[in-house]
Amino acid sequence: MAEHDLTQRMIPSLDRQLVFPLLEFLSSRDVYQADAILQAKVELLSGTGMVDYTGELYKQLHNTDQLPAEFDEKRAALIKQLTESEHKTKHIREVIENPEVADALRQDKLQNMKLLQDSYQCTPEMVLELYSFGQLQYSSGNYGGSADILLHFSILSTDPELTLSALWGKLASEILLGNWEVGLGDLLKLREIIDKTHFKTPAEQLQQRVWLLHWSLFVFFNHPKGRDGIVETFMLPHYVSTIQNACPWILRYLVAAVITNRRKRNMMQDLVKTIQQVSYMYQDPVTEFVEALYVDFDFDRAAAKLEECESVLENDFFLTHAVDDFVENARFFLAEVYCRIHKRIDMEALTTRLNMKSEDGEKWIVKLIRESRMDAKVDFKEGTVIMNSSYNPVYQQVIERTRNLVFRSQVLNGAIDKNSNPNKKDDAKQKGKQPRAAKRQETAVAA
């Protein structure tokens, strides 16, 4: 199933250390060769400060107990950097961790910096050093320390670019710590900043949104309310445009979120349009299932794609725990559409399409009809479901379609009158003033 694996497409939009969980997951699957995964891990972590762990992986890869001298040199350099940075930031960390100082800080960052300089002898250089220290902590795998330090920096820094970078670092730290509630808050804050910031070029803002779409998958597929969040975020116009232009493979996760969350089924129509628009660039069994069901109404193809979806989702890092949910709800969507466009349904044929046993399939279909409140009658002797027509009479359809016609006509007439008689209001004002003027004249004559 390597052809449907998205890891290589997603790596450019993820931080090195966020990629590692994906490789760890793939190593437990038979998607790629074990040596290839191990080699990828070593190359990935060689650019971080996780020297000891990288060394262990290097030994496994080359089947040796000896490490090259460069590992010792890199470890010594890293320890030196950490020691120096820790010493440089000791004073300012002690200050900002003081509860009295924390209570005194306000929204105005310039005022905060003045307070720290005048009262606690903390310089802007010390604040900048916090950023470097946070980076070193993150690179070394101390995600708890990096999250705290980068949070302090983002509160104090007056540099918008470094503040944005620190927020990305904090989000990555919370993801790797598994703090999904805090991570969701950081994610929403980043989304707000990205949407409101005027970047130097549109391409830069597009890149930020691409990163947000990829990084958010960690949070949305682990947070209890994540499947609502992913639909609400990914279906925003700016993010739909980003998916269409830069990362169409993200549609797999959006489709999975909509299908496994029946409360968002009203989004299916817009989702189908997006799938059709990018189908020439990207397709996989998940998107093809929706296209076969809602565009072509090809139920045999949809059933075949649903079977393929199981293996695709099982080998997807983000969706592997949603396989049963996805299959159950996908069957619901397939059966619902099938029932709504057929008048007489053979339960055995539908059960076969749903890839279920005959007895289980019949019970499932009856449950579907009850839950979806379909107007249908089940004939167990014949093994059929008879759908009762629920079409509105023609006159009712006319009423529904013309319900707002009178209101729209009035608005249109008002707009036409306003454009055709621009001086009408002024004339009315003048007419309203004339009686008052005449009254004043009469009062003056009487006096």
Side-chain angles (χ1 to χ4, degrees):
M1 296 300 295
E3 62 176 319
H4 297 307
D5 178 52
L6 298 178
T7 305
Q8 295 185 55
R9 295 191 186 216
M10 300 177 77
I11 284 176
S13 300
L14 295 174
D15 179 81
R16 283 176 177 268
Q17 299 192 46
L18 290 179
V19 175
F20 187 78
L22 275 65
L23 297 181
E24 193 74 6
F25 172 79
L26 289 176
S27 64
S28 65
R29 299 293 192 271
D30 295 328
V31 179
Y32 299 102
Q33 294 182 354
D35 288 345
I37 296 293
L38 194 56
Q39 177 68 37
K41 288 180 180 179
V42 173
E43 292 178 1
L44 184 75
L45 296 181
S46 62
T48 70
M50 301 173 70
V51 182
D52 293 335
Y53 187 61
T54 308
E56 292 300 319
L57 294 176
Y58 182 91
K59 290 178 182 179
Q60 293 179 32
L61 179 63
H62 297 281
N63 194 24
T64 180
D65 293 330
Q66 300 295 325
L67 288 174
E70 63 187 51
F71 279 86
D72 291 332
E73 295 171 1
K74 188 174 181 179
R75 184 187 298 106
L78 180 64
I79 292 173
K80 182 181 178 182
Q81 282 182 304
L82 282 168
T83 303
E84 291 177 354
S85 188
E86 185 176 11
H87 177 71
K88 290 179 181 178
T89 59
K90 182 180 179 181
H91 175 64
I92 191 170
R93 284 187 288 113
E94 289 176 349
V95 170
I96 58 181
E97 288 171 5
N98 185 337
E100 294 181 0
V101 177
D103 292 340
L105 296 177
R106 298 292 181 264
Q107 292 291 331
D108 189 339
K109 292 187 175 185
L110 294 175
Q111 189 65 31
N112 291 339
M113 194 67 248
K114 187 176 185 302
L115 171 68
L116 292 176
Q117 281 182 301
D118 295 345
S119 303
Y120 301 98
Q121 295 75 51
C122 293
T123 64
E125 289 75 16
M126 291 181 182
V127 175
L128 186 59
E129 188 62 36
L130 278 177
Y131 178 77
S132 300
F133 188 48
Q135 281 187 314
L136 285 171
Q137 293 287 341
Y138 178 79
S139 180
S140 303
N142 182 10
Y143 305 121
S146 66
D148 291 339
I149 293 166
L150 291 173
L151 173 62
H152 293 321
F153 173 80
S154 64
I155 292 172
L156 299 175
S157 175
T158 56
D159 186 324
E161 291 186 7
L162 286 182
T163 301
L164 181 60
S165 178
L167 289 173
W168 280 111
K170 184 178 183 301
L171 174 59
S173 299
E174 301 295 355
I175 288 172
L176 292 166
L177 287 169
N179 293 336
W180 307 121
E181 193 66 43
V182 179
L184 180 61
D186 291 341
L187 183 69
L188 297 178
K189 186 176 181 180
L190 264 173
R191 189 185 79 184
E192 183 181 2
I193 292 173
I194 292 170
D195 291 343
K196 290 183 177 180
T197 301
H198 296 286
F199 291 90
K200 295 177 182 177
T201 63
E204 188 176 350
Q205 188 174 47
L206 177 67
Q207 183 63 68
Q208 294 283 330
R209 286 186 173 135
V210 170
W211 290 344
L212 188 76
L213 288 170
H214 286 78
W215 291 37
S216 67
L217 296 176
F218 290 93
V219 178
F220 286 140
F221 283 107
N222 285 284
H223 191 278
K225 297 181 180 179
R227 294 181 191 178
D228 289 331
I230 190 172
V231 177
E232 292 166 3
T233 297
F234 287 23
M235 290 301 288
L236 291 172
H238 291 314
Y239 290 92
V240 170
S241 177
T242 301
I243 292 171
Q244 291 173 334
N245 291 289
C247 49
W249 51 87
I250 292 293
L251 276 176
R252 174 188 294 183
Y253 304 103
L254 181 54
V255 170
V258 172
I259 287 180
T260 56
N261 188 352
R262 294 185 196 175
R263 290 174 298 178
K264 298 295 182 181
R265 60 190 300 177
N266 60 315
M267 308 298 292
M268 184 60 77
Q269 186 176 0
D270 293 332
L271 181 57
V272 170
K273 291 179 182 178
T274 305
I275 290 172
Q276 287 182 277
Q277 289 169 353
V278 303
S279 60
Y280 72 97
M281 291 191 296
Y282 176 78
Q283 284 185 322
D284 66 22
V286 178
T287 61
E288 288 177 313
F289 166 75
V290 173
E291 198 168 13
L293 183 59
Y294 287 97
V295 179
D296 302 327
F297 297 100
D298 186 339
F299 299 102
D300 291 330
R301 181 166 172 261
K305 290 300 175 183
L306 181 55
E307 287 189 36
E308 292 181 35
C309 286
E310 291 190 50
S311 57
V312 171
L313 269 59
E314 285 174 356
N315 291 293
D316 190 296
F317 173 81
F318 298 104
L319 299 174
T320 187
H321 298 299
V323 177
D324 293 339
D325 245 4
F326 180 89
V327 172
E328 177 69 15
N329 285 281
R331 284 173 176 165
F332 175 89
F333 281 101
L334 191 155
E336 184 184 40
V337 175
Y338 188 89
C339 290
R340 291 194 185 283
I341 67 172
H342 290 83
K343 186 172 183 179
R344 188 182 185 88
I345 299 159
D346 186 337
M347 285 199 288
E348 186 175 351
L350 180 55
T351 299
T352 303
R353 284 191 170 92
L354 296 174
N355 194 25
M356 300 175 72
K357 294 180 180 179
S358 180
E359 185 178 348
D360 294 337
E362 288 183 3
K363 293 179 181 178
W364 191 89
I365 292 169
V366 171
K367 182 182 177 183
L368 166 70
I369 292 171
R370 286 175 181 170
E371 290 183 355
S372 58
R373 298 178 181 178
M374 294 181 185
D375 187 5
K377 179 182 178 182
V378 180
D379 187 340
F380 288 102
K381 291 183 179 179
E382 296 292 331
T384 59
V385 177
I386 300 172
M387 304 298 298
N388 298 320
S389 301
S390 58
Y391 300 109
N392 288 333
V394 174
Y395 71 87
Q396 185 64 33
Q397 293 181 37
V398 172
I399 291 173
E400 291 293 333
R401 290 178 181 273
T402 59
R403 186 183 298 276
N404 297 323
L405 189 60
V406 174
F407 174 73
R408 291 180 180 178
S409 299
Q410 290 175 348
V411 172
L412 185 60
N413 286 333
I416 292 172
D417 291 341
K418 184 177 180 180
N419 292 331
S420 60
N421 299 310
N423 298 322
K424 188 175 182 181
K425 186 181 290 187
D426 295 337
D427 293 342
K429 288 181 179 179
Q430 290 177 2
K431 288 179 179 179
K433 292 178 180 178
Q434 285 176 359
R436 295 194 192 110
K439 189 174 182 179
R440 285 197 296 269
Q441 289 177 357
E442 291 175 1
T443 304
V445 170

